[in-house]
Amino acid sequence: MASRLSAAVLLAATLGLGVAAPAFAAPATVAAFDPDKDGTIDLKEAQAAAAKQFDVLDPDKDGTLDAKELNGRLTAAELKAADPDSDGTLDKKEYLAVVAARFKAADPDAEGTIDAKELASPAGASLATLLQ
């Protein structure tokens, strides 16, 4: 029951930001993206997780993600805004730039790390959609 409630909260939070959460997304936890086990996620850890996820999302291994491969992680407007060459896809550098922007939004105290409370916020949930 709690798991379904958490999934519903994550979905509501991401939809509230205009981001459609992938249907398979489970609630994110700091531990999932915290290899140094300090209880927080820094930008380097977030980008490392996102880089791995990018590779998973790129089954054709062409080095880019289109809207279908992004599977709802970005709205059409967000994809367009994050695509400076207007080719309809994001390369890894462009994807990581979106991660950096979402990380900054999820870090309101600007201390350079995201804790469990910040990850559970709507901005944190939006970041998590790119990491998992």
Side-chain angles (χ1 to χ4, degrees):
M1 175 75 174
S3 177
R4 280 192 254 178
L5 180 60
S6 296
V9 169
L10 177 63
L11 179 60
T14 56
L15 290 175
L17 289 174
V19 178
F24 55 83
T29 64
V30 168
F33 313 113
D34 182 24
D36 65 5
K37 310 278 188 248
D38 68 352
T40 64
I41 304 166
D42 62 31
L43 180 58
K44 184 177 177 183
E45 291 168 331
Q47 288 188 318
K52 287 179 188 175
Q53 186 60 29
F54 182 97
D55 294 339
V56 170
L57 295 172
D58 185 21
D60 59 7
K61 304 300 179 206
D62 68 351
T64 64
L65 300 178
D66 59 26
K68 183 178 178 183
E69 291 168 323
L70 285 165
N71 194 26
R73 285 171 171 81
L74 299 176
T75 65
E78 289 169 328
L79 175 57
K80 185 175 181 176
D83 181 20
D85 56 6
S86 299
D87 65 355
T89 66
L90 297 183
D91 62 27
K92 193 176 282 189
K93 182 179 176 182
E94 293 165 339
Y95 188 77
L96 294 179
V98 176
V99 170
R102 288 193 180 179
F103 183 94
K104 184 176 180 179
D107 182 24
D109 54 11
E111 67 185 355
T113 60
I114 295 173
D115 60 25
K117 182 179 177 184
E118 291 166 331
L119 190 61
S121 73
S126 179
L127 170 64
T129 64
L130 300 178
L131 307 183
Q132 57 185 359

